[in-house]
Amino acid sequence: GIQVEQSPPDLILQEGANSTLRCNFSDSVNNLQWFHQNPWGQLINLFYIPSGTKQNGRLSATTVATERYSLLYISSSQTTDSGVYFCAVENTGRRALTFGSGTRLQVQP
Amino acid sequence: SAVISQKPSRDICQRGTSLTIQCQVDSQVTMMFWYRQQPGQSLTLIATANQGSEATYESGFVIDKFPISRPNLTFSTLTVSNMSPEDSSIYLCSVVVDGDTIYFGEGSWLTVV
């Protein structure tokens, strides 16, 4: 099956800093989504982005499908951005996602 | 988007017992899935819940251990049978909305003692 690798595995930032999270995948995809899992376990859907660029407030994402990677940008980070960020992809037509191992982000005040 | 409710949100269970988790969606959805997240790990797909037919299980998951029901297009249950401490996980229900975007319920935290 498809492989998904995320980097870095852990990231510590000071409030106000910017960061870039990366997701590499091993095959072409029909679906790519970024999620934020908060400390209570809730998965929040950030972006549906199988290709192209999207922005939502301080967050933006870019997927270069031909090169099989996606980037999540977080600008002016806040303590509420802390949690685990997952990249998940789908390429079988079944709509079931394969998740990367996640990036654990800690934003310090 | 969709509102996805799971019950229970959290439970502590004795080993050897079974627990049924419910997933209720506020609109009809064609595709519904169950995932497991073991402590400190990523999410793994357990099965696709098919309306009106048997669920489709991923490698490593079997119906006897994780029976699933999907009686209609808004509801599904996952049972974790004969539980052991290794079953301690977050169990999440997910649905496909608007054809592509996949949303998750808030998860059911299960601790087996």
Side-chain angles (χ1 to χ4, degrees), chain B residues 75-112:
Chain B
F75 185 79
S76 178
T77 66
L78 167 73
T79 299
V80 186
S81 304
N82 188 24
M83 289 182 286
S84 66
E86 292 71 33
D87 294 320
S88 297
S89 298
I90 306 174
Y91 292 87
L92 300 106
C93 166
S94 78
V95 301
V96 178
V97 178
D98 303 328
D100 294 306
T101 309
I102 297 173
Y103 291 89
F104 284 80
E106 64 269 28
S108 297
W109 292 66
L110 177 61
T111 301
V112 184

Side-chain angles (χ1 to χ4, degrees), chain B residues 3-7 20-34 49-52 68-78 93-95:
Chain B
V3 177
I4 307 167
S5 302
Q6 286 189 231
K7 292 181 181 179
T20 295
I21 302 167
Q22 299 180 1
C23 176
Q24 179 74 54
V25 189
D26 68 342
S27 59
Q28 292 188 341
V29 293
T30 304
M31 310 195 75
M32 186 179 286
F33 307 93
W34 287 97
N50 300 310
Q51 193 267 331
I68 289 171
S69 78
R70 178 95 190 269
N72 56 53
L73 293 178
T74 64
F75 185 79
S76 178
T77 66
L78 167 73
C93 166
S94 78
V95 301

Side-chain angles (χ1 to χ4, degrees), chain B residues 56-57 63 89 99:
Chain B
T56 304
Y57 290 85
I63 187 172
S89 298

Side-chain angles (χ1 to χ4, degrees), chain A residues 6-7 21-23 32-36 44-49 61-63 70-72 85-88 103:
Chain A
Q6 291 186 242
S7 60
L21 282 57
R22 187 177 179 101
C23 171
L32 187 148
Q33 292 185 227
W34 283 95
F35 295 91
H36 174 219
I44 308 300
N45 183 28
L46 298 176
F47 293 104
Y48 166 78
I49 188 164
T62 294
T63 298
S70 183
L71 303 174
L72 177 69
Y85 289 81
F86 288 105
C87 167
T103 293

Side-chain angles (χ1 to χ4, degrees), chain A residues 5-53:
Chain A
E5 295 181 353
Q6 291 186 242
S7 60
D10 296 281
L11 187 58
I12 300 175
L13 300 174
Q14 292 297 313
E15 201 167 22
N18 302 328
S19 62
T20 301
L21 282 57
R22 187 177 179 101
C23 171
N24 293 330
F25 43 96
S26 61
D27 203 347
S28 58
V29 297
N30 303 318
N31 182 357
L32 187 148
Q33 292 185 227
W34 283 95
F35 295 91
H36 174 219
Q37 188 170 41
N38 64 25
W40 298 271
Q42 176 73 46
L43 271 172
I44 308 300
N45 183 28
L46 298 176
F47 293 104
Y48 166 78
I49 188 164
S51 64
T53 298

